């Protein structure tokens, strides 16, 4: 018996990996993260599959299910939104599984951050504009360590992607405005890759009102930085003529 932690992707069923899907279909127990998982992913599962919505269960209740599956020697698929490495809350589960002597494996997924960048047709990094991306969140029920307070992170003025923060967009703007120029682009992507995806573009001055008037309160990423508005950047050296003389001809890996 094994538990498979599977990244379900951002929403669009076609953005779940083939490997994740194959594993999911082979498991008799499925635990999924509620509204962030597209029901179309679960629809084709056989009727005999035992499906649990973990957003309604505490850790102890989830452990009861793991134990039950262990008792009957059946595999469990544990579906989480996007990729598991970002706010996946799987570390505590793995610790519990270690204590129960249950083996597990992690199958990655497409994060909502990749789906949002794709929806925007944007790169998060551009030469000489920003070569760094910060993934973070504003403090909420989960406190952010003081050294990672958004105002401190803002001092880098690089690209920032904020998860789990949309209800606090006003606080986000206030903290970012300490360091970023007020005209810095801010884009909110609601339900990236879902049929009702919405993109709201603005800047530090305008975005909070726009988000409010669109009524966005859930399932949205806030993306901030000069990469979202400029056509005024240097070409990447990857395809430059000079670079090809130096490296491409010599067949050096340029990635
Ligand atoms: N592991 C997930 C993130 C889980 S935290 C991932 O890799 O995407 C949940 C937060 O992710 C939400 O509050 C929201 O900020 C973001 N999110 C998840 N799915 C999203 C989507 N389809 N579009 C925009 N944001 C999304």
């Amino acid at each position: 018996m094994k538990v498979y932690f599977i990244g379900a992707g951002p929403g669009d069923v076609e953005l779940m990996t083939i490997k994740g899907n194959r594993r999911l279909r082979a498991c008799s127990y499925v635990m999924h993260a509620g509204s962030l998982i597209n029901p179309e992913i679960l629809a084709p599962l056989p009727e005999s599959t035992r499906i649990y919505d973990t957003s309604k269960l505490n850790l102890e209740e989830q452990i009861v299910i793991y134990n039950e599956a262990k008792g009957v020697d059946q595999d469990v698929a544990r579906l989480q939104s996007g990729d598991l490495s970002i706010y996946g809350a799987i570390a505590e589960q793995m610790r519990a599984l270690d204590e129960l002597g249950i083996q597990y494996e992690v199958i990655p997924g497409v994060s909502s951050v990749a789906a949002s960048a794709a929806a925007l047709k944007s790169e998060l990094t551009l030469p000489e504009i920003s070569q760094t991306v910060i993934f973070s969140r504003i403090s909420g029920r989960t406190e952010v360590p003081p050294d990672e307070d958004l105002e401190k992170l803002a001092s880098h003025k690089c690209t920032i992607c904020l998860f789990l923060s949309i209800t606090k967009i006003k606080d986000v703007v206030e903290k970012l405005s300490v360091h970023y120029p007020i005209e810095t682009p801010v884009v909110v992507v609601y339900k990236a890759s879902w049929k009702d995806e919405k993109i709201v573009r603005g800047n530090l001055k305008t975005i909070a009102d726009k988000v409010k008037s669109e009524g966005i309160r859930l399932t949205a990423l806030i993306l901030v930085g000069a990469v979202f508005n400029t056509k005024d950047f240097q070409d990447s050296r990857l395809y430059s003529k000079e670079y090809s003389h130096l490296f491409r001809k010599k067949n050096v890996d340029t990635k």
Side-chain angles (χ1 to χ4, degrees), residues 28 75 81 86 88 99 104-105 124 136 148 179 185 207 212 216-217 244 246:
S28 336
D75 291 342
S81 73
I86 307 171
E99 280 166 18
Y104 48 84
E105 190 178 317
L124 303 180
S136 192
E148 294 170 22
H179 294 285
I207 197 72
K212 197 172 167 205
I216 297 173
R217 295 193 51 78
S244 80
L246 285 172

Side-chain angles (χ1 to χ4, degrees), residues 65-101:
I65 300 169
Y66 289 136
N67 259 327
E68 187 188 312
K70 187 185 179 190
V72 289
D73 195 23
Q74 294 294 315
D75 291 342
V76 179
R78 179 77 216 224
L79 275 182
Q80 309 264 128
S81 73
D83 181 52
L84 302 140
S85 65
I86 307 171
Y87 304 111
I90 58 170
E92 69 224 48
Q93 319 243 348
M94 292 176 182
R95 188 164 54 194
L97 292 174
D98 284 337
E99 280 166 18
L100 297 170

Side-chain angles (χ1 to χ4, degrees), residues 4-253:
Y4 294 93
F5 290 94
I6 303 172
D12 181 347
V13 288
E14 294 191 336
L15 290 178
M16 184 172 168
T17 67
I18 294 168
K19 184 167 183 167
N21 233 312
R22 193 162 47 78
R23 280 283 175 232
L24 170 68
R25 283 158 199 253
C27 289
S28 336
Y29 284 72
V30 172
M31 298 161 81
H32 68 90
S35 63
L36 285 173
I37 305 296
N38 190 336
E40 285 175 36
I41 291 177
L42 305 171
L45 296 176
E47 239 172 63
S48 57
T49 310
R50 305 185 71 128
I51 301 177
Y52 301 89
D53 176 353
T54 54
S55 64
K56 299 191 171 76
L57 303 172
N58 63 35
L59 186 58
E60 276 100 73
E61 289 166 330
Q62 295 175 34
I63 287 169
V64 170
I65 300 169
Y66 289 136
N67 259 327
E68 187 188 312
K70 187 185 179 190
V72 289
D73 195 23
Q74 294 294 315
D75 291 342
V76 179
R78 179 77 216 224
L79 275 182
Q80 309 264 128
S81 73
D83 181 52
L84 302 140
S85 65
I86 307 171
Y87 304 111
I90 58 170
E92 69 224 48
Q93 319 243 348
M94 292 176 182
R95 188 164 54 194
L97 292 174
D98 284 337
E99 280 166 18
L100 297 170
I102 295 175
Q103 290 201 324
Y104 48 84
E105 190 178 317
V106 179
I107 300 173
V110 175
S111 175
S112 60
V113 81
S116 297
L120 299 170
K121 302 183 178 79
S122 278
E123 278 189 67
L124 303 180
T125 53
L126 284 176
E128 295 184 20
I129 305 281
S130 182
Q131 290 288 286
T132 304
V133 183
I134 293 176
F135 294 166
S136 192
R137 60 172 300 171
I138 199 160
S139 275
R141 261 181 306 171
T142 306
E143 283 290 316
V144 170
D147 281 347
E148 294 170 22
D149 187 82
L150 191 52
E151 191 179 315
K152 286 194 182 163
L153 299 182
S155 68
H156 297 286
K157 292 191 246 174
C158 60
T159 308
I160 296 193
C161 304
L162 296 171
F163 295 75
L164 300 156
S165 303
I166 193 66
T167 54
K168 295 197 167 180
I169 185 83
K170 274 197 163 170
D171 298 344
V172 166
V173 163
E174 198 177 306
K175 283 175 182 279
L176 293 176
S177 301
V178 174
H179 294 285
Y180 286 83
I182 199 74
E183 65 278 5
T184 302
V186 184
V187 191
V188 167
V189 183
Y190 167 74
K191 292 188 86 176
S193 87
W194 290 71
K195 290 199 176 81
D196 49 348
E197 172 187 288
K198 218 183 257 182
I199 294 172
V200 183
R201 287 181 186 270
N203 58 33
L204 282 171
K205 202 167 158 190
T206 60
I207 197 72
D209 284 344
K210 288 188 175 186
V211 164
K212 197 172 167 205
S213 61
E214 290 286 346
I216 297 173
R217 295 193 51 78
L218 272 173
T219 327
L221 271 186
I222 307 169
L223 303 121
V224 184
V227 292
F228 297 108
N229 78 349
T230 183
K231 299 266 179 244
D232 179 25
F233 57 90
Q234 297 296 312
D235 282 349
S236 134
R237 295 197 61 216
L238 185 57
Y239 300 116
S240 79
K241 271 196 229 154
E242 204 185 315
Y243 203 60
S244 80
H245 287 308
L246 285 172
F247 298 101
R248 207 174 291 128
K249 278 194 179 152
K250 286 188 196 156
N251 233 350
V252 170
D253 183 2

